[in-house]
């Protein structure tokens, strides 16, 4: 059998594939060539949808008989490098300098992918295939539209009869140092538009028109002033922000027919898209005196629901592994933006733990070599506990 690579060497090799979303750029072939000799069954489905780029993904697994199925999940695509001349280290060099590994994706999240692949290969090398299944759910469509990636890959795997017990997503979750934070859920995100229709007319004859602009201004102020909730044990308070006020009227002498304002809500598990829509409609209606204006509240279709992972056995065992390796008891958090965990949670409990995220998406993205190796150690320790139970 070939030898398991170190997490740092593997991360460096992955960084050298310029897989700017949605390009594969050799990164899945590299993993395929690495995993197959260890006995992994590797699949590389490409998913398509009108209006979106085709994306190649990977599902790889190894089974050593009856037992739980642990899926490590992540993405191998990266965001563009921006102004390349700003980089001190070339963005796809994967070079190690002064104890740091440099390159686009070092933190987000080729370092995380390399750490769980290296940990699993070390496990297989040392103990053979686990009693159960270890799999890798890897997409090239996380930094892109997220249409032909994890959402379809999980569905594809489930249709093939894969039953996932637990999942660990390797996104960077630590704000400052390794062991700070495990994500055990995520807030939801929902965008929408409030539109007020009045009656168009001449500015000189306002009694013949109905101006929607002052009404919309009142709505924006009134809805913004509402408290959605006070937060919960695991979630911060939900928050609604108006992000745009649009009339689009080029004339100075015309009262416009319509005005609209767009908003985005980051919300906890006390809310759904439906109840948020009702909330905005109710408080916007408060601002309509009389029936001369028409209100409509529409919600975008691509919102995501909030979720909280309620598997104590997964959270406790993973926290224990983090504590054993880093000496710290990690905070359990649901903060930050959304991630592909929102697609995985429909199949099994999912938590997120990865590298320190400070330089993600930045120029000269880098991570400490010691952090990558420690992350691989956490994943390895977790696998030891997970499969020896
Ligand atoms: Zn990421």
């Amino acid at each position: 059998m070939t030898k398991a690579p170190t997490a740092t060497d593997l991360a460096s090799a992955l960084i050298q594939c310029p897989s700017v979303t949605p390009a594969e750029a050799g990164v899945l072939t590299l993993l395929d060539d690495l995993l197959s000799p260890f006995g992994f069954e590797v699949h590389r489905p490409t998913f398509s949808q009108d209006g979106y780029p085709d994306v190649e993904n990977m599902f790889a697994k190894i089974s050593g008989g009856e037992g739980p199925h642990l899926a490590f999940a992540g993405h191998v695509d990266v965001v563009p490098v921006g102004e390349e001349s700003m980089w001190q280290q070339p963005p796809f060099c994967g070079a190690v300098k002064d104890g740091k590994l440099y390159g686009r994706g070092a933190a987000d999240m080729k370092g995380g992918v390399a750490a769980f692949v290296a940990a699993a290969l070390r496990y297989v090398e040392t103990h053979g295939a686990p009693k159960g299944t270890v799999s890798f759910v890897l997409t090239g469509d996380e930094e892109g539209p997220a249409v032909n990636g994890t959402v379809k890959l999980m569905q594809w795997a489930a249709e093939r009869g894969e039953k996932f017990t637990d999942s660990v997503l390797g996104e960077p979750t630590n704000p400052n140092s390794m062991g700070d934070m495990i994500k055990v859920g995520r807030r939801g995100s929902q965008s929408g538009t409030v539109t007020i229709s009045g009656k168009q007319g001449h500015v000189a004859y306002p009694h013949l028109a109905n101006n929607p602009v002052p009404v919309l201004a009142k709505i924006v102020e009134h809805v913004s002033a509402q408290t959605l909730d006070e937060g919960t044990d695991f979630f911060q308070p939900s928050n609604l922000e108006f992000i745009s006020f649009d009339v689009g009227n080029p004339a100075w002498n015309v009262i416009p027919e319509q005005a609209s304002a767009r908003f985005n809500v980051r919300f906890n598990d006390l809310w759904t898209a439906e109840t948020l829509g009702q909330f905005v409609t109710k408080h916007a209606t408060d601002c309509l005196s009389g029936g001369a204006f028409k209100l409509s509240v529409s919600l975008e279709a691509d919102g995501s629901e909030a979720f909280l992972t309620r598997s104590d056995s997964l959270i406790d065992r993973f926290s224990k592994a983090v504590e054993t390796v880093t000496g710290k008891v990690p905070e359990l958090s649901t903060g930050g933006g959304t991630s592909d965990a929102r697609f995985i949670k429909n199949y099994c409990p999912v938590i997120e733990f990865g590298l320190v995220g400070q330089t993600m998406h930045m120029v000269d993205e880098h991570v400490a070599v010691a952090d990558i190796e420690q992350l691989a150690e956490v994943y390895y320790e977790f696998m030891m506990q997970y499969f020896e139970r």
Side-chain angles (χ1 to χ4, degrees):
M1 198 194 287
T2 47
K3 207 171 146 28
T6 69
T8 306
D9 285 348
L10 180 54
S12 172
L14 296 176
I15 288 169
Q16 289 171 55
C17 304
S19 54
V20 174
T21 196
E24 187 270 338
V27 69
L28 293 180
T29 298
L30 190 156
L31 287 167
D32 196 343
D33 292 346
L34 176 65
L35 293 171
S36 298
F38 279 86
F40 278 78
E41 176 189 324
V42 180
H43 303 270
R44 296 169 62 174
T46 295
F47 300 121
S48 307
Q49 188 166 318
D50 276 356
Y52 297 94
D54 290 358
V55 180
E56 188 174 3
N57 300 270
M58 175 179 280
F59 177 75
K61 70 167 186 176
I62 189 166
S63 300
E66 288 293 302
H69 183 160
L70 173 64
F72 285 108
H75 61 91
V76 291
D77 59 331
V78 296
V79 294
V81 302
E83 188 51 62
E84 192 163 343
S85 64
M86 301 279 289
W87 290 64
Q88 302 291 311
Q89 305 291 330
F92 300 109
C93 66
V96 172
K97 213 181 158 210
D98 301 327
K100 294 177 187 122
L101 174 68
Y102 283 86
R104 175 57 84 224
D108 184 15
M109 57 165 283
K110 286 175 171 174
V113 170
F116 60 60
V117 169
L121 292 182
R122 180 179 154 206
Y123 184 97
V124 172
E125 192 177 61
T126 316
H127 309 279
K131 284 196 179 59
T133 302
V134 169
S135 66
F136 302 121
V137 176
L138 297 174
T139 181
D141 188 25
E142 199 275 343
E143 304 289 10
V147 163
N148 289 318
T150 304
V151 63
K152 288 188 176 145
L153 190 55
M154 291 300 288
Q155 196 184 340
W156 175 92
E159 279 163 9
R160 288 173 42 89
E162 298 298 342
K163 294 206 180 351
F164 299 97
T165 312
D166 293 295
S167 180
V168 174
L169 182 62
E171 288 280 3
T173 53
N174 291 293
N176 298 304
S177 60
M178 295 303 293
D180 285 344
M181 186 178 284
I182 297 176
K183 298 244 167 122
V184 295
R186 288 281 184 155
R187 290 186 296 171
S189 171
Q190 181 64 53
S191 299
T193 305
V194 178
T195 302
I196 292 292
S197 302
K199 188 178 180 206
Q200 185 177 308
H202 199 303
V203 166
Y205 302 91
H207 56 289
L208 298 177
N210 274 319
N211 191 349
V213 174
V215 180
L216 184 66
K218 212 187 290 178
I219 288 172
V220 167
E221 193 187 1
H222 182 65
V223 172
S224 297
Q226 304 302 316
T227 302
L228 282 154
D229 58 67
E230 306 287 347
T232 70
D233 285 353
F234 284 97
F235 285 96
Q236 56 197 109
S238 303
N239 182 55
L240 180 151
E241 291 294 328
F242 279 96
I243 44 84
S244 179
F245 192 108
D246 309 292
V247 182
N249 179 10
W252 292 94
N253 57 357
V254 175
I255 292 172
E257 175 89 11
Q258 244 184 23
S260 60
R262 295 187 292 128
F263 62 87
N264 179 265
V265 196
R266 297 299 163 110
F267 59 98
N268 58 39
D269 59 353
L270 299 173
W271 296 91
T272 64
E274 195 187 349
T275 59
L276 287 168
Q278 290 162 356
F279 177 90
V280 173
T281 303
K282 173 180 175 294
H283 290 286
T285 306
D286 292 348
C287 305
L288 301 176
S289 44
F293 295 97
K294 209 178 121 243
L295 165 76
S296 96
V297 176
S298 64
L299 299 176
E300 296 296 308
D302 61 353
S304 58
E305 301 286 338
F307 72 94
L308 180 64
T309 295
R310 293 177 192 278
S311 168
D312 288 345
S313 72
L314 173 61
I315 294 170
D316 291 350
R317 269 181 296 171
F318 200 89
S319 296
K320 191 59 150 266
V322 172
E323 193 183 346
T324 301
V325 175
T326 69
K328 285 196 273 186
V329 179
E331 178 191 344
L332 306 180
S333 165
T334 57
T338 62
S339 76
D340 275 1
R342 70 188 189 274
F343 303 127
I344 299 169
K345 64 112 167 54
N346 299 329
Y347 298 88
C348 66
V350 54
I351 57 160
E352 299 172 65
F353 185 80
L355 289 162
V356 175
Q358 277 173 358
T359 63
M360 54 186 174
H361 297 205
M362 289 183 185
V363 161
D364 286 324
E365 180 174 347
H366 65 272
V367 287
V369 167
D371 287 359
I372 301 188
E373 295 305 328
Q374 199 169 51
L375 180 60
E377 199 62 38
V378 169
Y379 292 142
Y380 181 79
E381 177 68 25
F382 175 66
M383 286 183 68
M384 289 293 286
Q385 294 178 25
Y386 194 86
F387 289 108
E388 306 304 309
R389 61 183 173 181

